Amino acid sequence: MKSTPTSSTSSTSTPDAKPRIQERRSPVLTSLVLGALICLAGSQASAQWLTLKTPGIPRSADGKPNLIAPTPTQAGKPDLTGLWRIGAVGYTNQVTTDLNAEDVEPPATALFNQRQDNLFADDPAAFRCLPGGPRLIYGPMNLVRIVQTPTMIVMLYEELLYRQIFMDGRALPKDPNPSFMGYSVGRWEGDTLVVDSTGFNDMTWLDYGGHPHSEALRMTERIRRTDFGHLQIDVHIEDPVYYKRAWTVPARADLAADTEMIEYVCNENEKDHSHLVWNVSDARKLGVTVAPEVLARYVGTYAFDPRNTMKIHVTLSGTMLFMDVGGKDRKELVPMSDSTFVTYVPVEFRTDRMIFHLGTGDTTAMKEK
């Protein structure tokens, strides 16, 4: 999980340091604000092609990429080749947001609750440096390079991972050796690429909130390039071991023009995991009581960028403050003082803003009037 080329793996924590909430890097909240943090990489651009203009793409009169130009084709089919930023706002932390509680099997609920309370310290990718698995398919805001050929479509990720989607007519393996990224075969249905994937191991999570999946997981992606700069992606998820019915996660991808990928290596000098000892239960024990009239000051809608459709909603229910993103994944804000709260990471309220104290630095969301 990353927001810039610099990860939390260079932590300076010492073995005898007292655990503090601020020392926790949250992969979940980082995913929520990732779009707002991407610009932080700009200072390293010149040596890594990050400002090099992408050749061969349509541009408007002012030289900007024309993302609504016609869809390019290859052998009579849409050509998906390009560098894309994928995101499914409202689902990447809570992939089951469209399911009812009774649709989730009790063992899956128990695992999810345990991971939430533990503040995701067992996240296999963010803190154990394992491949991200199926959740990379729908985000959040991951950069992926798609290379399309007539017999194979390859997806390359910043984490030095890859997917192979075979387009040569082969069937999925009947008894695959489970893998992190699964086995994928694709076909064209008109202008829509349909990708069936199975054979995932159960070591990864379905989202950054901690929903599990079993080795029975099956995913079907329907990918359509609507114009030059946009993909529509619907991911159908089936897992009869942990979920009583299938459901679909809607995602989209925007062409990442005039930039490049930077490799991300989680396990380089990783020193954080042994210090991740804080959990939600600890926070509640240290929580304080805040007057309802004070809590009411913080109610409202916040945004990292006024042009960004990703909105954070803060609501008050009784004597408890809650936060959600785009109306989904509602979480309690545990008060540490009249202005400081804990959810995935510490959150500080000011008169006109809320500040997220991430391990990678502070990020501010302004309150809308």
Side-chain angles (χ1 to χ4, degrees), residues 222-236:
R222 300 183 66 86
I223 305 172
R224 191 165 68 92
R225 189 167 186 171
T226 57
D227 53 25
F228 192 86
H230 303 94
L231 300 179
Q232 288 185 352
I233 307 170
D234 290 316
V235 184
H236 188 73

Side-chain angles (χ1 to χ4, degrees), residues 280 283-284 286-288 321 332-337 340-343:
V280 174
R284 290 196 178 102
L286 297 176
V288 301
L321 211 57
E332 176 187 356
L333 291 166
V334 180
M336 297 289 104
S337 72
T340 304
F341 297 75
V342 172
T343 176

Side-chain angles (χ1 to χ4, degrees), residues 20-70:
R20 295 185 296 123
I21 306 173
Q22 288 82 356
E23 293 172 348
R24 289 295 313 257
R25 180 186 180 187
S26 169
V28 179
L29 192 61
T30 301
S31 76
L32 300 181
V33 301
L34 189 56
L37 299 179
I38 289 171
C39 61
L40 298 180
S43 61
Q44 306 180 23
S46 58
Q48 295 167 315
W49 301 332
L50 291 186
T51 59
L52 184 68
K53 289 188 178 297
T54 304
I57 67 172
R59 297 182 180 273
S60 56
D62 59 3
K64 294 181 179 179
N66 182 7
L67 301 185
I68 60 172

Side-chain angles (χ1 to χ4, degrees), residues 182-262:
Y183 300 78
S184 300
V185 297
R187 66 187 186 277
W188 289 101
E189 292 184 358
D191 288 340
T192 300
L193 176 66
V194 181
V195 182
D196 293 313
S197 301
T198 58
F200 297 98
N201 66 39
D202 60 2
M203 298 174 66
T204 58
W205 296 359
L206 277 182
D207 54 21
Y208 290 92
H211 280 101
H213 68 83
S214 74
E215 292 185 356
L217 174 67
R218 184 184 182 102
M219 305 181 79
T220 299
E221 301 152 72
R222 300 183 66 86
I223 305 172
R224 191 165 68 92
R225 189 167 186 171
T226 57
D227 53 25
F228 192 86
H230 303 94
L231 300 179
Q232 288 185 352
I233 307 170
D234 290 316
V235 184
H236 188 73
I237 300 173
E238 300 177 59
D239 186 343
V241 173
Y242 280 141
Y243 305 96
K244 295 179 181 178
R245 70 174 179 89
W247 73 101
T248 298
V249 174
R252 60 171 292 168
D254 299 327
L255 187 71
D258 300 341
T259 190
E260 267 297 342
M261 291 196 297
I262 298 178

Side-chain angles (χ1 to χ4, degrees), residues 153-173:
I153 295 176
V154 178
M155 296 185 175
L156 308 174
Y157 296 88
E158 292 176 291
E159 293 87 344
L160 306 184
L161 300 174
Y162 66 89
R163 290 179 69 200
Q164 299 178 102
I165 301 172
F166 291 94
M167 304 289 292
D168 55 8
R170 71 180 66 187
L172 286 167

Side-chain angles (χ1 to χ4, degrees), residues 303-326:
F304 298 107
D305 184 333
R307 300 166 296 179
N308 198 325
T309 57
M310 185 176 71
K311 306 294 185 183
I312 295 176
H313 305 114
V314 176
T315 56
L316 179 63
S317 179
T319 59
M320 298 174 64
L321 211 57
F322 292 87
M323 180 187 80
D324 69 65
V325 179

Side-chain angles (χ1 to χ4, degrees), residues 1-10 25-27 29-31 33-45 48 50 85 140-143 158-159 259-266 268 358-363:
M1 180 71 190
K2 77 279 183 196
S3 55
T4 74
T6 302
S7 79
S8 65
T9 56
S10 59
R25 180 186 180 187
S26 169
L29 192 61
T30 301
S31 76
V33 301
L34 189 56
L37 299 179
I38 289 171
C39 61
L40 298 180
S43 61
Q44 306 180 23
Q48 295 167 315
L50 291 186
R85 182 166 286 117
M141 301 300 288
N142 285 311
L143 276 177
E158 292 176 291
E159 293 87 344
T259 190
E260 267 297 342
M261 291 196 297
I262 298 178
E263 70 175 27
Y264 168 72
V265 182
C266 169
E268 185 178 23
L358 303 174
T360 52
D362 292 349
T363 300

